[in-house]
């Protein structure tokens, strides 16, 4: 069963909440599951979040980097539930980019954990194809919406 949290949290808080519910962050193992998530949750995500970030709106998924430093190596990312690398490539062009949303006011800290968001909504852009539904690495500390995959409920 999939449970959409009508709140936002950083990646570790989101995973902890999912564990309390008896599951993990949703892990779209196939392109079909990924598209289903986008289609299902896009009506619930985007309006409020898009006002604070007019570029795109993401939802945390159960994919995290094993690397202790930001990396462009997609093979370092594994699913929480299985510890395995994804069997299909959901990364949008140019991702993982080895950083999150780095700005001059929020520089990339050394060793900052990097997690993965599934982009549910994106403003039209020609320079970043593959949305919605593309994966994007971002700092785990940022608050985002999330969905839990709950087992045996």
């Amino acid at each position: 069963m999939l449970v959409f949290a009508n709140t936002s949290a950083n990646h570790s808080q989101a995973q902890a909440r999912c564990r309390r519910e008896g599951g993990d962050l949703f892990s779209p193992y196939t392109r079909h599951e990924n598209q289903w998530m986008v289609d299902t949750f896009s009506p619930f995500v985007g309006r409020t979040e898009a006002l604070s970030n007019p570029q795109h709106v993401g939802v945390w998924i159960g994919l995290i980097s094993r690397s202790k430093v930001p990396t462009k190596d997609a093979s370092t990312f594994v699913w929480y539930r299985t510890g395995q690398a994804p069997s299909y490539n959901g990364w949008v062009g140019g991702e993982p980019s080895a950083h999150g949303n780095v700005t001059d006011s929020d520089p990339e800290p050394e060793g900052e954990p990097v997690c993965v968001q599934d982009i549910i909504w994106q403003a039209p852009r020609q320079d970043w194809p593959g949305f919605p539904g593309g994966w994007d690495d971002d700092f785990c500390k940022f608050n985002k919406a999330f969905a839990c995959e709950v087992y045996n409920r």
Side-chain angles (χ1 to χ4, degrees), residues 11-65:
H11 202 270
S12 63
Q13 292 167 337
Q15 175 63 9
R17 166 103 183 260
C18 291
R19 287 281 167 99
R20 284 193 305 273
E21 296 289 332
D24 289 298
L25 283 166
F26 179 63
S27 299
Y29 295 128
T30 67
R31 189 170 307 283
H32 176 75
E33 289 175 346
N34 197 70
Q35 189 58 52
W36 178 85
M37 182 177 142
V38 171
D39 293 344
T40 301
F41 295 123
S42 60
F44 303 104
V45 178
R47 292 171 183 33
T48 302
E49 292 87 347
L51 295 175
S52 63
N53 181 354
Q55 297 300 311
H56 63 268
V57 176
V59 173
W60 286 130
I61 60 175
L63 194 58
I64 189 166
S65 177

Side-chain angles (χ1 to χ4, degrees), residues 29 62-64 66 75 77-87:
Y29 295 128
L63 194 58
I64 189 166
R66 291 180 298 203
S75 70
F77 290 85
V78 296
W79 297 115
Y80 265 124
R81 184 173 183 196
T82 65
Q84 302 295 312
S87 60

Side-chain angles (χ1 to χ4, degrees), residues 76-151:
T76 66
F77 290 85
V78 296
W79 297 115
Y80 265 124
R81 184 173 183 196
T82 65
Q84 302 295 312
S87 60
Y88 96 95
N89 182 354
W91 296 103
V92 73
E95 300 295 338
S97 59
H99 61 76
N101 292 332
V102 179
T103 65
D104 291 337
S105 63
D106 187 20
E108 179 179 343
E110 185 64 31
E112 178 75 35
V114 176
C115 299
V116 180
Q117 63 178 328
D118 199 335
I119 302 300
I120 299 296
W121 175 87
Q122 185 221 337
R125 288 176 61 182
Q126 297 299 319
D127 61 330
W128 216 20
F131 289 106
W135 299 344
D136 171 39
D137 60 328
D138 205 350
F139 292 130
C140 303
K141 68 180 180 182
F142 292 132
N143 288 342
K144 299 184 186 299
F146 59 97
C148 301
E149 189 171 4
V150 179
Y151 320 110

